[in-house]
Amino acid sequence: MDGELAYRAVLAVDIERSAGRGDPALLAIRAALRTVLRESFERSRIDWEACRVDDLGDGLRVTAPAGARKAALVHPLFDEVAARLRAHNRLAGALTTIRVRMALHAGDVRLGPDGEVAGRPLEVLARLLDAPAVRTELAEAPPQTVAVLVLSEHFHEETVQPGHPGIEPEAFRRVAVANKEFTTTAWIRTAPAEGPSEAAAPAVPAGAPPAGPSRMTNRATGHGVIYAVQNGVQHITTTRRT
């Protein structure tokens, strides 16, 4: 395909074990994944409508628009995707639970007149996504783990090594990738089983009074009464001596 040669970041996402669930479940998880990605891109300040989105059957390939920050595809995008998948899975049944492999690469692609994308970077992306090492990483992770991310060496060098805010280089580990005739090294990160804001709340002791606004009154020497409410604001009411 002839077309304009342009540098683009590309993302591929594949749903683990999507086959055999039946058409209704497959349609439901595909729709849920698209929603998760759209919302995560918007939260990452990457214009979803400006992206080229291609259906991969069991997932999606997204070509980011020109000028999109590659680092944002690592953070916050990966964490946003993981958080939304965890929220989805808490309410999903066995047939609609979603776990995904995600791959990121960047390079010069051919842009066709109708927006289609082709070129070597897409081949590299597909090999990374389908690599046995990446599949095994997700398959052997605990069931609560919803996503694994693999970066090409090129993508890792440009987004992780510089130390952009929110990206922790120590969260990635280098792995050997071999897929058919394709051999390289890449970098893997596994999403945590739960995010910092999703940790369980402390247990309430049995017999404890129900939660609600509380009020405490302390008398102080002098001419007033100090009232402290639950959020820490104090109200002082003065009294006049007679």
Side-chain angles (χ1 to χ4, degrees), residues 53-169:
V53 182
D54 291 295
D55 195 321
L56 300 179
D58 293 337
L60 297 170
R61 184 180 66 227
V62 183
T63 304
R69 290 182 58 248
K70 293 195 300 297
L73 292 166
V74 179
H75 175 81
L77 182 72
F78 181 59
D79 296 316
E80 292 286 346
V81 168
R84 282 166 173 74
L85 288 179
R86 286 191 292 264
H88 167 85
N89 287 349
R90 281 194 288 271
L91 301 177
L95 293 178
T96 52
T97 295
I98 303 174
R99 303 206 316 165
V100 299
R101 301 187 317 280
M102 301 173 63
L104 279 167
H105 184 45
D108 290 333
V109 299
R110 294 282 178 182
L111 303 178
D114 297 322
E116 64 270 28
V117 184
R120 175 65 176 169
L122 302 188
E123 297 177 17
V124 173
L125 185 71
R127 295 290 184 260
L128 290 172
L129 184 69
D130 201 42
V134 183
R135 287 182 172 273
T136 299
E137 182 77 11
L138 184 59
E140 295 183 351
Q144 297 81 7
T145 299
V146 294
V148 166
L149 174 65
V150 58
L151 308 182
S152 68
E153 280 280 6
H154 171 66
F155 207 96
H156 181 271
E157 181 180 353
E158 292 197 338
T159 61
V160 176
Q161 289 184 9
H164 294 291
I167 298 179
E168 300 174 351

